[in-house]
């Protein structure tokens, strides 16, 4: 029986051969060939062009190492989808600005876009990262433009104004009815992480996280409140600077000495930081296992933490998206094909950007296509009617690239399910289990 991967390789060879023959024909036989991108040279003009803004992170700014593959996933998805029937018969034009994770620069750019006379034609934004998404959360609603962030922060998942109370005190989260994302929200994620620890027999858990960004510390109250609910004792926090890795060794050695009975740790930082924290725990003699957040675990984790992750199975993490290349998932064939076409189009190495962050970007584009495809054939897409289409999602399939998505006008948390993966002894990502956590109304917005 021929595997899906083998079929994909054979199909790629056929496509490559046809492409070569066409190129030869252009050069030798005077065939009329265009030098324009095929996305812009479709003989079928379709219904027209839809305009989206895109703030990316492609340089040397903080988190751009993971922002770049995410953005490539979006760009490739749009480019390849434009080549077929597009988005409900329309093509999407992306106006991309590399904001390099500089919020002041990005805010200025957003405001310049809003003042442009052509802004009325813009349907929405794709965004990297939490600061930009938070800034646009309510503005997008005012402008009736979609906001599709890479951030899955709990406060971005409420379309209505909410007031709440937790262990950190009372708070408010303004509603943003035009913000949508496909990943399990961070607060549901940390609750699922706590539940996973408890199910694995955890006795005393700790929370390691940075204080430099809301991405790290924002979900912590949700995790601590849930730990109290399930009867899991919580040890003192360790504030792990998001970038000062050299400080971890001595700090963690002292932490382990003061808290020798901590058997599980939540890591709220990004990939490299979490891997370095695990190395420091092992060096300090701790047997504690780690659960990493959505951006704490990816294909690079084992490269950083090496034998400290692989000799003993001690690293787990939440990945709402299927890792790149897992062809047991039906939607992955398109991801791999779009990635390959994108690397050829951009003149890049075939393995560049081939990780779960690329899948995340792909799904952001897919989510918008699924919504536009729901519109009536004669209905011209607008920010408002795409929003309404998204809010009709009830267990909407993404071909298993994520858990099925559901939104309604009062709640934009896409799923109650968090997928737990581990680093196995070969250094590969390995699916472990799905953890479901109830989406309680009182938890909306934090």
């Amino acid at each position: 029986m021929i595997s899906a991967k083998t079929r994909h390789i054979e199909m790629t060879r056929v496509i490559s051969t046809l492409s070569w023959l066409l190129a030869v024909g252009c050069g030798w036989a005077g065939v009329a060939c265009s030098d324009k991108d095929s996305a812009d040279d479709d003989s079928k003009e379709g219904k027209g062009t839809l305009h989206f803004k895109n703030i990316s992170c492609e340089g040397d700014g903080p988190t751009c190492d993971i922002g770049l593959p995410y953005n490539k996933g979006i760009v490739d998805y749009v480019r390849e989808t434009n080549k077929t029937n597009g988005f409900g018969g329309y093509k999407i034009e992306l106006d991309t600005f590399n904001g390099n994770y500089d919020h002041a620069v990005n805010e200025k750019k957003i405001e310049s876009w809003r003042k442009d006379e052509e802004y009325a034609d813009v349907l929405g934004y794709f965004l990297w990262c939490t600061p930009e998404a938070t800034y646009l959360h309510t503005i997008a609603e005012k402008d009736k433009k979609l906001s599709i962030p890479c951030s899955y922060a709990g406060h971005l998942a409420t379309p209505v104004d909410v007031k709440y109370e937790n262990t950190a005190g009372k708070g408010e989260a303004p509603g943003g009815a035009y913000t949508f994302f496909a990943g399990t929200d961070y607060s549901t994620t940390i609750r699922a992480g706590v539940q996973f620890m408890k199910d694995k027999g955890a006795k005393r858990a700790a929370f390691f996280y940075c204080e430099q960004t809301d991405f790290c510390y924002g979900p912590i109250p949700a995790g601590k409140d849930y730990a109290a609910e399930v009867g899991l004792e919580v040890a003192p926090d360790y504030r792990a600077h998001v970038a000062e890795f050299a400080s971890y060794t001595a700090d963690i050695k002292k932490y382990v000495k003061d808290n020798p009975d901590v058997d599980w740790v939540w890591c709220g930082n990004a990939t490299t930081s979490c891997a370095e924290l695990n190395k420091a725990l092992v060096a300090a003699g701790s047997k504690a296992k780690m659960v990493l957040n959505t951006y704490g675990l990816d294909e690079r984790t084992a490269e950083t933490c090496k034998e400290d992750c692989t000799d003993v199975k001690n690293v787990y993490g939440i990945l709402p998206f299927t890792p790149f290349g897992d062809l047991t998932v039906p939607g992955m064939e398109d991801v791999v094909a779009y990635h390959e076409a994108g690397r050829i189009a951009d003149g890049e190495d075939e393995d560049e950007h081939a990780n779960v962050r690329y899948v995340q970007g792909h799904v952001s584009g897919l989510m918008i296509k699924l919504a536009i495809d729901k519109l009536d054939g004669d209905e011209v897409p607008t920010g408002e009617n795409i929003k309404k289409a998204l809010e009709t999602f009830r267990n909407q399939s993404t071909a298993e690239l994520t858990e099925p998505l559901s939104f309604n006008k009062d709640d934009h948390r896409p799923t109650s399910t968090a997928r737990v993966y581990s680093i196995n002894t070969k250094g590969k990502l390995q699916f472990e289990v799905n953890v479901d956590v109830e989406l309680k109304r009182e938890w909306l917005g934090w």
Side-chain angles (χ1 to χ4, degrees):
M1 184 174 182
I2 299 174
S3 69
K5 185 173 183 180
T6 301
R7 288 197 304 272
H8 171 69
I9 291 171
E10 292 302 321
M11 182 60 70
T12 299
R13 288 173 179 164
V14 172
I15 292 171
S16 297
T17 301
L18 289 174
S19 298
W20 180 82
L21 288 172
L22 179 59
V24 170
C26 292
W28 291 354
V31 177
C33 299
S34 172
D35 60 357
K36 293 170 66 178
D37 188 295
S38 59
D40 301 319
D41 189 38
D42 192 343
S43 59
K44 296 179 180 179
E45 289 299 324
K47 296 179 179 179
T49 301
L50 309 176
H51 300 277
F52 279 79
K53 301 296 186 182
N54 177 30
I55 291 183
S56 65
C57 187
E58 304 172 60
D60 57 1
T63 77
C64 285
D65 58 330
I66 55 179
L68 179 56
Y70 176 84
N71 185 65
K72 290 287 186 177
I74 294 173
V75 171
D76 290 353
Y77 184 85
V78 169
R79 180 164 49 196
E80 294 307 304
T81 303
N82 282 347
K83 292 178 181 178
T84 56
N85 190 43
F87 298 76
Y90 293 85
K91 295 180 181 181
I92 280 183
E93 180 182 88
L94 278 182
D95 180 8
T96 298
F97 174 72
N98 175 24
N100 215 29
Y101 207 112
D102 187 325
H103 180 59
V105 170
N106 288 329
E107 185 177 322
K108 185 176 180 180
K109 187 64 177 178
I110 290 168
E111 291 309 320
S112 72
W113 279 336
R114 295 180 74 210
K115 294 175 182 176
D116 192 285
E117 61 182 11
E118 296 181 352
Y119 187 64
D121 297 329
V122 174
L123 300 189
Y125 300 80
F126 293 96
L127 296 164
W128 187 275
C129 202
T130 301
E132 284 63 56
T134 301
Y135 180 70
L136 260 173
H137 188 51
T138 54
I139 293 175
E141 180 173 11
K142 184 188 304 181
D143 294 350
K144 294 187 176 181
K145 314 290 186 188
L146 296 164
S147 174
I148 313 299
C150 71
S151 172
Y152 316 128
H155 67 269
L156 298 175
T158 177
V160 295
D161 295 347
V162 296
K163 294 182 179 180
Y164 58 83
E165 185 172 2
N166 55 37
T167 53
K170 295 181 179 180
E172 298 182 10
Y178 283 70
T179 301
F180 297 86
F181 51 75
T184 311
D185 73 273
Y186 296 154
S187 300
T188 299
T189 291
I190 196 171
R191 293 183 183 107
V194 168
Q195 184 64 59
F196 178 75
M197 295 177 193
K198 182 69 175 177
D199 292 345
K200 286 289 188 179
K203 298 293 188 291
R204 192 166 190 244
F207 293 88
F208 290 7
Y209 57 93
C210 81
E211 295 181 297
Q212 286 73 44
T213 169
D214 178 81
F215 160 71
C216 297
Y217 61 76
I220 299 301
K224 288 186 174 181
D225 280 16
Y226 194 76
E229 186 170 316
V230 300
L232 179 58
E233 184 180 350
V234 175
D237 298 346
Y238 171 60
R239 270 74 166 189
H241 193 285
V242 71
E244 294 178 1
F245 309 140
S247 65
Y248 295 170
T249 302
D251 288 353
I252 297 300
K253 186 175 182 179
K254 182 179 185 307
Y255 185 92
V256 170
K257 182 179 179 181
D258 294 342
N259 302 277
D261 56 346
V262 168
D263 54 355
W264 282 84
V265 170
W266 167 264
C267 184
N269 291 10
T271 306
T272 303
S273 177
C274 287
E276 293 291 345
L277 282 166
N278 186 68
K279 289 171 65 176
L281 275 172
V282 173
S286 172
K287 302 298 183 183
K289 295 179 172 61
M290 264 194 163
V291 179
L292 319 182
N293 70 5
T294 299
Y295 281 100
L297 178 71
D298 64 29
E299 290 88 344
R300 300 174 304 148
T301 298
E303 296 174 14
T304 302
C305 121
K306 297 183 171 59
E307 64 274 6
D308 291 331
C309 288
T310 58
D311 282 0
V312 179
K313 193 173 182 180
N314 62 356
V315 173
Y316 301 83
I318 311 294
L319 281 183
F321 301 83
T322 301
F324 185 92
D326 181 357
L327 290 170
T328 65
V329 170
M332 192 57 65
E333 285 199 30
D334 278 350
V335 175
V336 172
Y338 289 11
H339 173 269
E340 183 173 351
R343 304 296 63 73
I344 293 171
D346 294 345
E348 297 174 329
D349 186 272
E350 61 182 5
D351 294 326
E352 282 290 304
H353 323 302
N355 60 41
V356 71
R357 308 305 168 210
Y358 182 92
V359 179
Q360 289 176 239
H362 180 101
V363 174
S364 289
L366 172 62
M367 184 175 70
I368 294 303
K369 174 176 168 54
L370 291 171
I372 293 174
D373 286 350
K374 283 181 175 288
L375 301 179
D376 292 337
D378 296 329
E379 190 174 4
V380 177
T382 66
E384 186 172 9
N385 61 22
I386 298 173
K387 165 200 171 291
K388 290 179 179 178
L390 284 161
E391 288 177 339
T392 68
F393 281 17
R394 300 293 183 271
N395 295 315
Q396 171 66 56
S397 171
T398 60
E400 299 179 31
L401 295 174
T402 68
E403 293 303 302
L405 308 178
S406 298
F407 303 109
N408 62 61
K409 64 183 180 62
D410 298 316
D411 193 342
H412 285 184
R413 290 174 291 186
T415 177
S416 62
T417 302
R419 296 175 171 181
V420 180
Y421 282 76
S422 65
I423 298 291
N424 65 23
T425 54
K426 295 180 180 179
K428 302 298 184 182
L429 295 173
Q430 176 177 302
F431 175 74
E432 291 288 328
V433 67
N434 280 339
V435 179
D436 288 303
V437 177
E438 182 182 357
L439 298 180
K440 293 184 179 180
R441 180 67 185 179
E442 60 265 30
W443 290 345
L444 182 64
W446 63 277

